[in-house]
Amino acid sequence: MIALQVLALALAITLSGFARPTIISAANPPDQTEEDKDLVLPEPPDGQAEQEDRLVILPEIKREGERFFLSSFKLPDKITFAGVPVPLDNWQVRERIEYEFYQFLEDQGESIILAKRTGRCFPPAEKQLAEAGLPDDLKYMLLVESKCISAAYSKAKASGPWQFIPSTGRRYQLKSDAVRDERRNLEMSTEAAVKYLQYLKDFRQNDWFLAMASYNAGEERVRKLLKEQKITDYWKMHGPRETMRYVPRIIAAKEIYSQPEKYLGLSKKDLYIPLETETITVNVKESQRALTSIAEEFGTYFLELKMLNPEFKKDVLPHGTYQIRVPRQSCPNRCFKQETTP
């Protein structure tokens, strides 16, 4: 018993050395050695209260305004697409669209660039959709298909802003050979997309949700899925993951990119302005001609010429006649003589 009391007393004495850490501050300086006597701690400025026995590791940061949360953005209770209400009262429909909605907003930098690109890629599509009597909302397919990049190319060999696979491109007279791929031309591919969407609209009896799903997966595949599952509603269809996400993603794109000021803080003046261009005719009389040479002749440069004409696959054009888009001339800065077509 005496041994236990002695052990407890020894332990208490040992631990007492760690009971309170020594706080080094102006109010509680450590014992000074001879070397430390020359060091004088500064007095606090007049009017400043001496700090308590504590160490301040970092200054306190005062944050102005409310903290930003992604959840501060809400999907509306009602959304229409192509004039048709989206069934957001169905729990799984809302969840699928909300998923795509927040996926877009999560990468704010890319969403800002996508919004800016609409200033260039939407106007031609809007014009052609209107002329064909198709809903303007279909232009948001461009953001999901290719992010408005004319030279976009997929693993499935789909190409261009509307991502036509080779067989569908040929079906709508989009030529592709060693020299050029017309699927990459925005106006030409939009004309083909308009024809294809008109066909899908009739094929799916004016159901734009099924028409868009068919655009993604193919009309026969969608028809087979509907038949097997004994349904007629896209929102009840179980299909490939990409097709299940495709229509909700387009709807989410419309909600965000039709209101960039609300979701991204952008106004119309922030969007990229379409470059003023004109189409010129170039006759390549030799066996081939470098695009660099053509660019120089028409007051531009190789990179700009390639970006304005993404359908050209190589850096040279073989013998033949070509229509090429160049920046609109403005004398005296850009002034050239149009080559006459024979």
Side-chain angles (χ1 to χ4, degrees), residues 101-165:
F101 177 76
Y102 289 116
Q103 284 290 306
F104 273 122
L105 292 177
E106 189 272 336
D107 194 339
Q108 192 178 60
E110 179 163 300
S111 287
I112 289 171
I113 292 299
L114 283 181
K116 284 175 170 284
R117 284 179 188 159
T118 63
R120 286 199 187 129
C121 80
F122 274 6
E126 290 168 344
K127 182 176 182 293
Q128 288 171 271
L129 287 168
E131 289 174 349
L134 295 184
D136 183 71
D137 287 351
L138 296 176
K139 68 189 180 187
Y140 295 101
M141 292 174 66
L142 283 166
L143 295 175
V144 176
E145 286 288 348
S146 64
K147 298 181 180 179
C148 276
I149 298 174
S150 290
Y153 195 79
S154 76
K155 292 180 180 179
K157 298 182 179 180
S159 180
W162 289 95
Q163 288 291 281
F164 280 106
I165 58 175

Side-chain angles (χ1 to χ4, degrees), residues 234-248:
Y234 164 79
W235 297 108
K236 295 178 180 179
M237 184 184 77
H238 182 275
R241 182 172 181 270
E242 181 184 344
T243 308
M244 295 282 287
R245 291 186 61 186
Y246 186 71
V247 176

Side-chain angles (χ1 to χ4, degrees), residues 124 150 184-188 275-282 294 298 300 304-312 322-328:
S150 290
R184 297 182 183 180
N185 181 289
L186 178 58
E187 287 78 13
M188 295 177 74
L275 188 65
E276 291 190 22
T277 63
E278 54 188 307
T279 301
I280 52 95
T281 300
V282 173
I294 297 172
F298 292 99
T300 182
E304 186 172 56
L305 194 69
K306 287 283 283 186
M307 294 181 74
L308 292 177
N309 301 273
E311 62 268 28
F312 292 120
Y322 303 92
Q323 300 295 309
I324 299 180
R325 184 182 290 108
V326 297
R328 184 175 296 281

Side-chain angles (χ1 to χ4, degrees), residues 175-200:
K175 299 177 182 178
S176 181
D177 54 31
V179 178
R180 57 188 167 189
D181 183 352
E182 292 180 345
R183 294 175 295 171
R184 297 182 183 180
N185 181 289
L186 178 58
E187 287 78 13
M188 295 177 74
S189 63
T190 300
E191 182 180 350
V194 163
K195 292 177 182 177
Y196 189 25
L197 288 167
Q198 285 175 321
Y199 162 75
L200 292 173

